[in-house]
Structure formats: structure tokens, C-alpha cells
């Protein structure tokens, strides 16, 4: 007996059939046993003109390998469970593999390019950060040195142009200029604050003696003294003005100096100015009184006026009356004698 295998189509399903054929050599007759179904596979997909196609979807589900060429509806044949693959199907498989390789190569190249660009970008960032750190270091150094130089050498005529060093970097120069300017700004602010403090201190207490502030910079002390001196000058001028005004009145009407001090004056300055102005006012007043008395005495003698003490042509204070009468009598006697 000879065992044979083959494929048959039933209802669109490919069946693997095993048949046992018995050959009688004497009678040269064949006897074929009934067929046995060993496998049945059916799945979706278009077929070619021979009723066959290549499996591309869910092949394992149907008992096939991916890319296996097989037939339906009686088309083609295969040995056992493997179908014969035509030449053109092998070419299609090669094309598919080549396409996969091409896509894989493109993806590899793209990934390599991306990695190279990323590495380049990271290097640029690293170099930029190094540059930034270095420039910041140079700027900070210049700033501090510029600030310190101006702060320690606080001269009004000290110019930034005198201090820049051309051999330094641009960032150092920038920092130096900013530090120099900031020191100038802080010095000015300190001067303004100290000046106002010194001014207010003296103005609020005119009789306060100067005391240099302790634990302050020379810049502060100098500005404080300037403010104090300015207030003292203003107070001195105000004191002298008030003293003269008061003495001009008191020298005419009072027989003594007024020892009371007005508010807001420097006592020592007021006393000195008041005494001087009082004496001047009194002397001027008495001179006017004497002149008036002499004039009236002359008129009296010339006109033979019987009044011993005629009225003065000017208002005479109580303080001036005695002076006037004394001078008038003396003038009358002198004129009559002459």
C-alpha cells in the first residue's frame, strides 16, 4: 500500500486529506479507503485568480505563518500543512523586509541626528552657562572694586573716567561703573541724611553745643557738621535781627536791659547783639533829644518866649523827658549868654 496526502476544497475551506490506496499487483486494481479530514483552515482576505493569497492578518489564529501563501476554493495545493509559495510572493516578502529595513534605517538616522542635535544643544547650554558664570564673576569683581574705591576716596571731583582700567574685560568695566555709581548714590543719600540730622538737631535746640556723631563715616560726619553749621548761621542771623528789633525799642523806652530771651534764639548771641543795639539806639535817641532841645531853646530866646519848657516838636518818651529838659535849660543859658 501507498499512503498519499492532498488538499481538497469543501465550502471554501481547504481540507488536508489523507488517503490509503491499496494496489493489487495481480488484478492491477486500486482500492482507495474513505478520506480522513486532518485540518481545516478558513479566514478573511482577498484571493488572487488562483483562489490563493498570502496571510498578513492574525495568521497564527488560523494556523498559518505570517506571509504564508495558501489557497482557498480548490486553488493550488500544498504538501502537508505547508502551501507552496510562488516566486512572486517571495519577491513581495523581500520588498516588505526591505521596506522595514529602510524605515528602520531612517528611524535610526533620525534618532542619531536627534541625539547629536541634543548633545550640541546641551554643549551650547553648558558653554553659555560657563560664560555667564565667568562674566558674572568679572562683573561682581568690578562692581565691588568700583564701589570700594569711590566709597574710600569720596572726592566730589573723582571721576569714573580716571579709574577705569582698559586691560579689564567689558563685564568688569560694566561692573566697575555700576559699583562706582552705586557708591556715589549711597554716599549722596548718606550725606543728605546726615546733613538734615545735623540741621534739625541745631534748629530744634539753638543753644545746643556741637557734638560730633560717633561711629559714623567721615562722609557722614562732614555732612552732619555742614547741616549743623547751616542751622547755626540761620539762627545767628535770626537772633541778631530779633535782638536789634527789641533793643531799638528798649533803648528809647527802658532804663535797663531786658534780660528775657525770645523763643528760638541763641542766648549768647542775643545778649551780645541786644547790648550793642541797645547802646546804639539809646545814643541815637539822646542825640535827637539834645538837638531838639537846643533848637527849641534858640527859638525861645530869639522870640523871647516866656515858656521855660516849650513842647517838643517830636514825641518824647518818659525816658527822654529828663534828658530833654536838662539839655533845653543848658542851651537857653548858653544862647542867652552869647
Amino acid at each position: 500500500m501507498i499512503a498519499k496526502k492532498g488538499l481538497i476544497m469543501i465550502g471554501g475551506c481547504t481540507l488536508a486529506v489523507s488517503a490509503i490506496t491499496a494496489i493489487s499487483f495481480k488484478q492491477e486494481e486500486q482500492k482507495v479507503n474513505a478520506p480522513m479530514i486532518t485540518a481545516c483552515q478558513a479566514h478573511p482576505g482577498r484571493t488572487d485568480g488562483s483562489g490563493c493569497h498570502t496571510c498578513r492578518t492574525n495568521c497564527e489564529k488560523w494556523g498559518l505563518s505570517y506571509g504564508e501563501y495558501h489557497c482557498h476554493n480548490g486553488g493550488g495545493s500544498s504538501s502537508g500543512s505547508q502551501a507552496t509559495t510562488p516566486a512572486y510572493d517571495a519577491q513581495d516578502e523581500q520588498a516588505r523586509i526591505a521596506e522595514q529595513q529602510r524605515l528602520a534605517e531612517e528611524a535610526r538616522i533620525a534618532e542619531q541626528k536627534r541625539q547629536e542635535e541634543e548633545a550640541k544643544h546641551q554643549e551650547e547650554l553648558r558653554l553659555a552657562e560657563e560664560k555667564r558664570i565667568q562674566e558674572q564673576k568679572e562683573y561682581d569683581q568690578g562692581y565691588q572694586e568700583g564701589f570700594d574705591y569711590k566709597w574710600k576716596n569720596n572726592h566730589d571731583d573723582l571721576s569714573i573716567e580716571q579709574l577705569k582700567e582698559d586691560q579689564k574685560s567689558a563685564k568688569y568695566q560694566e561692573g566697575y561703573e555700576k559699583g562706582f555709581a552705586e557708591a556715589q548714590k549711597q554716599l549722596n543719600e548718606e550725606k543728605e541724611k546726615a546733613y538734615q540730622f545735623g540741621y534739625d538737631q541745631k534748629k530744634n535746640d539753638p543753644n545746643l553745643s556741637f557734638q560730633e556723631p560717633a561711629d559714623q563715616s567721615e562722609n557722614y560726619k562732614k555732612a552732619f557738621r555742614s547741616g549743623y553749621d547751616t542751622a547755626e548761621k540761620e539762627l545767628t542771623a535770626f537772633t541778631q535781627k530779633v535782638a536789634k528789633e527789641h533793643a531799638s525799642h528798649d533803648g528809647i523806652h527802658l532804663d535797663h536791659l531786658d534780660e528775657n530771651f525770645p523763643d528760638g534764639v541763641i542766648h549768647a548771641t542775643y545778649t551780645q547783639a541786644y547790648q550793642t543795639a541797645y547802646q546804639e539806639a539809646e545814643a541815637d535817641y539822646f542825640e535827637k533829644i539834645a538837638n531838639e532841645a537846643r533848637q527849641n531853646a534858640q527859638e525861645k530866646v530869639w522870640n523871647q518866649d516866656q515858656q521855660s519848657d516849650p513842647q517838643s516838636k517830636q514825641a518824647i518818651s518818659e525816658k527822654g523827658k529828663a534828658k530833654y529838659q536838662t539839655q533845653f535849660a543848658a542851651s537857653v543859658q548858653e544862647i542867652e549868654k552869647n
Side-chain angles (χ1 to χ4, degrees):
M1 281 191 312
I2 299 174
K4 294 184 179 180
K5 294 182 180 179
L7 296 175
I8 63 173
M9 300 299 298
I10 301 177
C13 178
T14 304
L15 302 178
V17 179
S18 176
I20 302 176
T21 305
I23 302 175
S24 174
F25 293 98
K26 292 182 179 181
Q27 299 177 354
E28 297 182 356
E29 293 178 351
Q30 293 183 344
K31 184 177 180 181
V32 181
N33 293 334
M36 281 177 45
I37 299 174
T38 60
C40 179
Q41 296 174 333
H43 61 88
R46 293 183 176 181
T47 58
D48 54 22
S50 302
C52 305
H53 67 169
T54 300
C55 182
R56 300 294 188 193
T57 306
N58 298 326
C59 299
E60 293 180 357
K61 178 179 178 180
W62 309 105
L64 300 173
S65 299
Y66 180 85
E68 181 177 343
Y69 186 79
H70 58 283
C71 301
H72 296 268
N73 298 327
S77 63
S78 64
S79 175
S81 62
Q82 299 295 325
T84 302
T85 303
Y88 65 82
D89 188 60
Q91 293 176 355
D92 183 62
E93 179 65 13
Q94 291 177 356
R96 184 188 66 79
I97 295 173
E99 178 66 12
Q100 290 180 340
Q101 291 175 346
R102 184 185 68 80
L103 294 175
E105 180 64 12
E106 287 182 355
R108 185 191 66 78
I109 294 173
E111 177 62 17
Q112 182 179 357
K113 183 177 180 181
R114 186 195 67 77
Q115 292 178 0
E116 291 174 353
E117 290 178 349
E118 177 65 20
K120 181 181 178 181
H121 177 65
Q122 292 299 326
E123 180 65 11
E124 290 174 348
L125 291 178
R126 185 187 67 79
L127 293 175
E129 180 63 11
E130 287 183 355
K131 181 180 179 182
R132 186 195 67 78
I133 293 174
Q134 180 62 27
E135 288 180 345
Q136 186 64 44
K137 182 179 178 180
E138 294 171 357
Y139 177 92
D140 293 342
Q141 179 185 359
Y143 182 97
Q144 192 61 50
E145 292 181 5
F147 184 95
D148 292 343
Y149 195 95
K150 176 60 180 176
W151 189 267
K152 295 175 183 178
N153 301 276
N154 181 27
H155 307 303
D156 293 335
D157 59 347
L158 191 64
S159 171
I160 183 64
E161 297 300 328
Q162 299 173 266
L163 308 175
K164 291 196 297 186
E165 302 179 38
D166 294 336
Q167 68 270 24
K168 298 293 185 178
S169 68
K171 276 294 178 182
Y172 176 92
Q173 293 284 11
E174 179 184 353
Y176 195 100
E177 293 177 4
K178 292 291 180 62
F180 188 92
E182 180 61 25
Q184 181 66 70
K185 176 184 175 184
Q186 292 188 22
L187 284 168
N188 290 339
E189 291 175 349
E190 183 183 60
K191 285 171 64 176
E192 292 176 2
K193 180 181 178 180
Y195 178 93
Q196 191 63 44
F197 188 72
Y199 180 90
D200 292 342
Q201 190 178 81
K202 180 62 177 177
K203 208 63 180 287
N204 295 333
D205 189 355
N207 295 287
L208 177 70
S209 299
F210 176 78
Q211 294 180 350
E212 186 176 78
D215 301 328
Q216 296 292 345
S217 67
E218 290 301 319
N219 179 63
Y220 186 96
K221 293 177 180 179
K222 182 179 178 181
F224 178 89
R225 183 58 189 258
S226 178
Y228 180 95
D229 290 345
T230 299
E232 187 172 50
K233 289 178 182 179
E234 293 178 1
L235 286 168
T236 299
F238 172 77
T239 299
Q240 291 173 343
K241 177 176 178 293
V242 172
K244 187 174 182 179
E245 290 175 351
H246 289 186
S248 296
H249 174 272
D250 296 348
I252 296 174
H253 297 283
L254 298 182
D255 292 328
H256 60 278
L257 299 178
D258 186 356
E259 297 180 355
N260 295 320
F261 295 107
D263 293 335
V265 299
I266 302 174
H267 293 175
T269 302
Y270 181 88
T271 298
Q272 182 179 1
Y274 179 85
Q275 289 176 350
T276 301
Y278 182 95
Q279 293 170 359
E280 292 175 353
E282 186 178 53
D284 290 344
Y285 182 62
F286 284 166
E287 180 64 26
K288 291 178 182 179
I289 292 287
N291 290 336
E292 183 73 15
R294 283 192 291 268
Q295 182 179 356
N296 290 340
Q298 184 176 5
E299 292 178 356
K300 174 185 179 344
V301 173
W302 187 264
N303 297 325
Q304 296 183 350
D305 193 341
Q306 299 302 314
Q307 293 183 10
S308 61
D309 185 16
Q311 290 292 329
S312 172
K313 293 182 179 179
Q314 67 174 15
I316 300 176
S317 67
E318 294 296 325
K319 177 180 180 179
K321 286 181 179 181
K323 184 72 174 177
Y324 176 84
Q325 291 172 355
T326 302
Q327 182 64 49
F328 181 83
S331 298
V332 168
Q333 291 178 2
E334 182 179 0
I335 294 171
E336 287 179 343
K337 178 180 178 182
N338 293 334

